[in-house]
Amino acid sequence: MSVRVWCLRHGESQNVTDNVAGAVPSAPLTERGHEQATLATRTLAGEPIRAVYSSTALRARQTAQPLATAAGVEVQALPDLVEVGIGRHEGSSDPAVRRQTADVLRSWVVDNDMTQQVADGETGFAVTARMGRVFQAIAEQHRGQTVAVIGHVASLTVALGQLCALGAAVWGTPLPHAQPFLVEWDGSTWHCPSWPDAH
């Protein structure tokens, strides 16, 4: 029984505009981010969404709330959907840390080297394991249904790149804020037919 999952990165948030690296769980949406969340809700208005899952980060929960309200459900915040952890560099505004984070993500996505990590943060293996668990649990719980998942640019990119066997095609253009894209489970395999800006 197939499952349809509308995935989206959270709306624009304070940590993004301030160039702060890491998971930054308490960073809120900007005014523009709230507008993007509202627009995403309108985009998905015709979808029979039965559940809305988000990362525990404030910006993801704020993005999820209008969608959940429209669908008549509660936001279910899951710790495993959080952004990639970068250990002792969490919350840094040092451009060198942001460059290193991008380099590690590239090694995961393009080179398929999942052993890399930023400082004492997560490896690619750790990120894909926890994200894979979440998507599998959602698929098992919502057979034949449509749900929404609100997460983060790096963890969604590396996890779905692996789950959908997209390889380096997902590299080069980061997921846009609050733009829904469809991921489907056919009972045995994940498919990402509408990855934004894949080339």
Side-chain angles (χ1 to χ4, degrees):
M1 188 75 81
S2 66
V3 180
R4 301 168 80 246
V5 182
W6 284 101
C7 293
L8 53 155
R9 178 190 184 185
H10 60 79
E12 182 188 81
S13 52
Q14 199 71 51
N15 61 308
V16 174
T17 56
D18 290 348
N19 291 320
V20 175
V24 202
S26 60
L29 291 181
T30 61
E31 184 177 343
R32 184 179 180 205
H34 282 290
E35 292 168 358
Q36 291 167 336
T38 300
L39 181 59
T41 301
R42 287 196 200 117
T43 300
L44 294 175
E47 291 292 323
I49 291 171
R50 298 289 295 274
V52 176
Y53 295 94
S54 85
S55 145
T56 51
L58 177 60
R59 59 194 182 278
R61 289 184 285 117
Q62 287 179 327
T63 303
Q65 190 56 60
L67 191 55
T69 299
V73 299
E74 296 290 326
V75 175
Q76 299 181 59
L78 304 177
D80 278 345
L81 286 173
V82 297
E83 184 56 297
V84 173
I86 59 171
R88 64 177 179 271
H89 290 321
E90 173 67 27
S92 173
S93 54
D94 183 348
V97 171
R98 296 183 70 239
R99 278 196 301 275
Q100 186 188 4
T101 302
D103 288 345
V104 167
L105 184 60
R106 187 184 192 283
S107 72
W108 295 348
V109 174
V110 177
D111 303 328
N112 201 32
D113 179 1
M114 310 301 280
T115 64
Q116 298 297 313
Q117 64 197 113
V118 178
D120 54 338
E122 292 181 288
T123 64
F125 290 120
V127 176
T128 54
R130 64 173 167 83
M131 294 287 286
R133 281 194 304 270
V134 169
F135 276 85
Q136 210 55 53
I138 289 171
E140 288 167 10
Q141 192 172 338
H142 295 283
R143 294 170 191 269
Q145 296 179 352
T146 299
V147 302
V149 170
I150 294 83
H152 301 269
V153 61
S155 54
L156 279 174
T157 298
V158 66
L160 293 174
Q162 289 280 322
L163 286 175
C164 299
L166 296 172
V170 298
W171 186 254
T173 307
L175 288 173
H177 287 112
Q179 181 178 314
F181 61 99
L182 188 63
V183 179
E184 295 175 296
W185 170 252
D186 66 9
S188 60
T189 309
W190 286 100
H191 304 277
C192 302
S194 60
W195 188 270
D197 301 311
H199 49 264

